[in-house]
Amino acid sequence: MKKNVLLFLLFLLASAVAHSQLASIRPDFANPGQILRTYIVAQSFSLGSPPLSYQDIYLENGIDIIYCDPAFDPMINVYQNCFPYNCDSLYADFTIPPNTPTGYYNVHVIAQWPIGPQDNIFSNGFFIGLSPSTIEGDIYFDTNQNGVHDGGDFPIQNQRALLNPAGINLYTDANGHYHGYVDTGSCSVSWVPSGTFSQTSTPLVYNHNVPPSVTGDDFGIYSSGVLYQQSVGFYTHPMRCYYRGFSAINISNSGFAPENGSVTLIHSSNLAFDPTSTGGNTISGDSVTWSYSNLQSGNQLSYNGYFFDGAQGDTVWYTYIDSVFDLSGTFRNVYSNYYPYIISCSVDPNEKEVYPVGEQAQHYTLMNEWLNYEIRFQNTGNDSAVNIIVYDTLDSHFDLSTFEVTGSSHPMNTQMTADGKVQFTFENIFLPDSNVDEPGSNGYVTYQIKAQSGIPDPTVVTNSAGIVFDFNAPVPTNTTMNTLVTVIPVKVNEVENQTGISVYPNPVEDILVIRYPLSGNVNSQLKVYDVFGKEIASSAITSNLKLQTSNWANGIYFIRITNANGEIIYNNKVVKMTK
């Protein structure tokens, strides 16, 4: 009998020793200031009871110890495959303090039975800081469809490479380059089909075991259906009342034909541009125009417009018009948007904006409109910020396949999880602090996205971001809100403004009629712009205004009506078409 007991105890001891190592933890890296859930796998926790408290699961690097979150309850909802003391996997939540030293950490999971505490260790199993391993490559338009990245090919922006098993989408920048931060272990990378594109290169899937980091996972793709196409983004510096600001327009030729065109920035009369610092442009009244020619596929342009801010409380606005033509001068496409702002002397430098803002207090926005988001950040510390990471969780009502980055102040990498968690990484940005270089201390990223089809009417979508400067705690932004509807409702007990204006017929041939309720809207002005941003007509508003359009060339025109305060109350397009 004693012999059997001794053999049993030896068996327990041998089992404890044999199963004293963890197999994996996923994810196996985090940034300081990050909150995450990990999944820990062991060969087996058999013959040992689960950890009894949050202090039984922790990360350790010498004297630096990070326990899993105190809310962790191992006896209720953490374990899988337990019956009742035989467990081979568990979840654990960690909050990484902002000032945590970077480097590799040992992972500890302590079992408590039957031979006393048993420390299961995964040596150097977790990394804190930017991921120790990266995957990167290029996605290019394979002009001759030969599967080789050669001289006639060009980069494509906003294409996706899928990193598995993490299920992370890596987005290409304006140079067609993607760059992702990955767990250690086995992974695969493949191109995510989009639109009418098809892959021409091989292999279809790259397989790796990391580290080390991987480069050169390139994909060649081709389509005959994207001849004239652009990606357009707009950014404006926060409107403050005490210094000169600027706006930036970023355009990228994402088609496969060269383009001519022009970008016009139209602004409110109470916003004055600085003509000495907006080089290469034509200034006419309330418009600034930049022209470009022979913009090649995959190339990009950026235009900055500098302005003198007005007084606190003033409402100012911009409209940009980007008109695209082929090399023979035939009109191909137009991109435009409208951005209103209120000037303030005190502005949060780390904030988020959405355009269109939406109408009325509920921010009513049409279902099928693009939502353009702008995340601004500024280094207000006392030294340069080396790495900046912007975290953004997209609303569940968005169609993630429509997500497109439209601009950024500095080169960056973009990746998104399957449930819409986006990470914009500005690595080695060295953003100066505002005490040394105020204009240079600012940065931004812009993107656009659409809602899913078939969502209820109305649907509220919200969005906010967190900004991490090096190893500091995340700086939260404000939360934006839009109420998506199929029709903008008329505000109760309010004189009709835009919803009471009728502009018809559209398309128009000879006469354009503008029916306008004058009550409460006297001294309003109408202006018409062509696709070059040139003003071709203007008039004081009457209740039933008729414009002669027989001498207009066929194409798209922009109708804008402002009230006596200079605020835009109607902004829309009309098509001139002679039969």
Side-chain angles (χ1 to χ4, degrees):
M1 181 64 179
K2 292 182 178 180
K3 181 178 181 180
N4 290 338
V5 171
L6 180 59
L7 288 174
F8 178 69
L9 292 176
L10 289 174
F11 171 73
L12 291 180
L13 181 60
S15 298
V17 173
H19 303 300
S20 62
Q21 297 298 313
L22 303 179
S24 68
I25 179 172
R26 292 288 183 273
D28 61 358
F29 70 92
N31 299 303
Q34 188 174 355
I35 300 172
L36 79 162
R37 167 161 289 186
T38 63
Y39 182 58
I40 302 174
V41 177
Q43 296 173 349
S44 176
F45 290 139
S46 60
L47 303 178
S49 70
L52 299 181
S53 78
Y54 70 91
Q55 291 183 323
D56 289 338
I57 303 176
Y58 59 93
L59 309 175
E60 168 267 322
N61 181 357
I63 61 173
D64 296 303
I65 294 177
I66 303 171
Y67 293 105
C68 82
D69 290 348
F72 164 83
D73 189 342
M75 302 306 292
I76 297 177
N77 58 4
V78 175
Y79 286 85
Q80 295 182 343
N81 306 324
C82 297
F83 186 79
Y85 300 124
N86 186 9
C87 304
D88 59 15
S89 60
L90 58 86
Y91 288 106
D93 297 337
F94 289 95
T95 298
I96 311 300
N99 58 350
T100 300
T102 60
Y104 285 95
Y105 283 68
N106 300 323
V107 183
H108 295 257
V109 178
I110 299 177
Q112 298 289 347
W113 184 89
I115 57 174
Q118 175 187 333
D119 193 357
N120 299 272
I121 303 173
F122 187 6
S123 298
N124 294 323
F126 197 87
F127 185 84
I128 295 178
L130 288 176
S131 170
S133 300
T134 58
I135 295 277
E136 55 186 307
D138 296 316
I139 300 179
Y140 60 92
F141 191 96
D142 190 3
T143 306
N144 56 13
Q145 303 180 63
N146 65 351
V148 178
H149 195 177
D150 48 32
D153 301 332
F154 58 87
I156 309 181
Q157 188 176 11
N158 285 309
Q159 288 292 317
R160 290 180 289 161
L162 179 61
L163 175 65
N164 276 323
I168 294 175
N169 285 293
L170 311 178
Y171 288 79
T172 56
D173 59 20
N175 298 313
H177 189 73
Y178 67 88
H179 181 115
Y181 305 92
V182 299
D183 285 350
T184 56
S186 298
C187 66
S188 65
V189 182
S190 57
W191 169 67
V192 179
S194 65
T196 59
F197 283 100
S198 58
Q199 186 171 336
T200 59
S201 64
T202 55
L204 295 178
V205 179
Y206 293 92
N207 294 288
H208 301 290
N209 193 51
V210 293
S213 295
V214 175
T215 61
D217 282 4
D218 298 347
F219 299 96
I221 60 177
Y222 178 82
S223 172
S224 60
V226 287
L227 190 61
Y228 296 98
Q229 182 173 288
Q230 286 194 358
S231 175
V232 184
F234 184 85
Y235 162 81
T236 186
H237 193 259
M239 293 290 182
R240 299 178 183 173
C241 59
Y242 57 86
Y243 64 79
R244 190 181 68 165
F246 75 93
S247 293
I249 302 174
N250 304 293
I251 64 173
S252 176
N253 183 355
S254 52
F256 64 86
E259 300 168 342
N260 293 341
S262 64
V263 175
T264 296
L265 195 61
I266 306 169
H267 59 90
S268 57
S269 59
N270 58 347
L271 187 64
F273 270 80
D274 179 359
T276 66
S277 57
T278 55
N281 62 80
T282 300
I283 300 178
S284 176
D286 61 357
S287 301
V288 182
T289 300
W290 297 266
S291 297
Y292 56 90
S293 60
N294 201 26
L295 179 63
Q296 295 295 311
S297 301
N299 288 0
Q300 58 181 324
L301 296 170
S302 294
Y303 300 106
N304 287 342
Y306 292 83
F307 52 84
F308 299 106
D309 283 339
Q312 182 175 8
D314 280 0
T315 296
V316 298
W317 53 262
Y318 299 100
T319 290
Y320 77 76
I321 303 172
D322 174 29
S323 301
V324 181
F325 301 81
D326 63 23
L327 297 190
S328 68
T330 302
F331 173 75
R332 293 294 182 177
N333 213 337
V334 64
Y335 304 85
S336 67
N337 215 329
Y338 165 64
Y339 297 85
Y341 300 93
I342 297 177
I343 294 176
S344 173
C345 292
S346 178
V347 176
D348 188 343
N350 302 295
E351 64 176 348
K352 184 162 194 175
E353 300 282 358
V354 61
Y355 306 98
V357 175
E359 297 186 25
Q360 305 176 30
Q362 294 82 2
H363 302 281
Y364 290 118
T365 308
L366 293 177
M367 287 277 189
N368 61 352
E369 286 196 73
W370 284 100
L371 291 177
N372 295 269
Y373 288 96
E374 176 181 300
I375 304 173
R376 306 169 182 156
F377 53 85
Q378 183 179 25
N379 178 13
T380 56
N382 54 16
D383 198 358
S384 294
V386 179
N387 299 306
I388 296 174
I389 301 177
V390 179
Y391 296 99
D392 191 340
T393 300
L394 301 177
D395 193 283
S396 61
H397 296 100
F398 284 138
D399 180 354
L400 301 185
S401 69
T402 65
F403 173 86
E404 292 184 3
V405 175
T406 55
S408 65
S409 57
H410 303 75
M412 64 160 194
N413 308 310
T414 306
Q415 61 186 61
M416 182 196 296
T417 62
D419 58 351
K421 293 182 175 63
V422 186
Q423 177 177 318
F424 305 101
T425 303
F426 295 81
E427 191 171 354
N428 296 320
I429 184 176
F430 288 96
L431 195 71
D433 69 84
S434 56
N435 298 309
V436 174
D437 179 4
E438 202 288 329
S441 66
N442 294 273
Y444 68 88
V445 58
T446 60
Y447 66 87
Q448 64 180 10
I449 194 169
K450 281 188 171 183
Q452 300 172 13
S453 60
I455 59 176
D457 180 3
T459 292
V460 175
V461 294
T462 58
N463 202 274
S464 60
I467 304 165
V468 176
F469 295 85
D470 289 327
F471 306 125
N472 296 298
V475 178
T477 68
N478 56 295
T479 299
T480 64
M481 185 269 283
N482 295 81
T483 302
L484 304 182
V485 292
T486 54
V487 177
I488 304 293
V490 177
K491 189 173 182 180
V492 178
N493 297 325
E494 180 184 73
V495 176
E496 290 184 342
N497 46 47
Q498 180 161 332
T499 57
I501 298 172
S502 300
V503 178
Y504 64 89
N506 191 5
V508 62
E509 185 174 0
D510 296 316
I511 296 177
L512 186 68
V513 179
I514 296 94
R515 296 183 63 87
Y516 186 79
L518 279 180
S519 176
N521 291 300
V522 295
N523 299 323
S524 297
Q525 293 285 325
L526 174 141
K527 290 186 178 183
V528 182
Y529 300 89
D530 63 14
V531 292
F532 296 101
K534 179 182 178 182
E535 181 184 315
I536 66 166
S538 64
S539 174
I541 286 292
T542 62
S543 60
N544 195 11
L545 178 65
K546 295 181 179 180
L547 290 180
Q548 179 60 245
T549 63
S550 57
N551 61 340
W552 294 7
N554 286 348
I556 297 175
Y557 294 85
F558 299 88
I559 310 296
R560 176 168 298 109
I561 298 175
T562 55
N563 62 17
N565 297 321
E567 300 169 340
I568 291 180
I569 55 177
Y570 186 85
N571 187 54
N572 218 328
K573 300 176 186 177
V574 66
V575 177
K576 166 62 189 301
M577 184 181 297
T578 301
K579 296 180 181 178

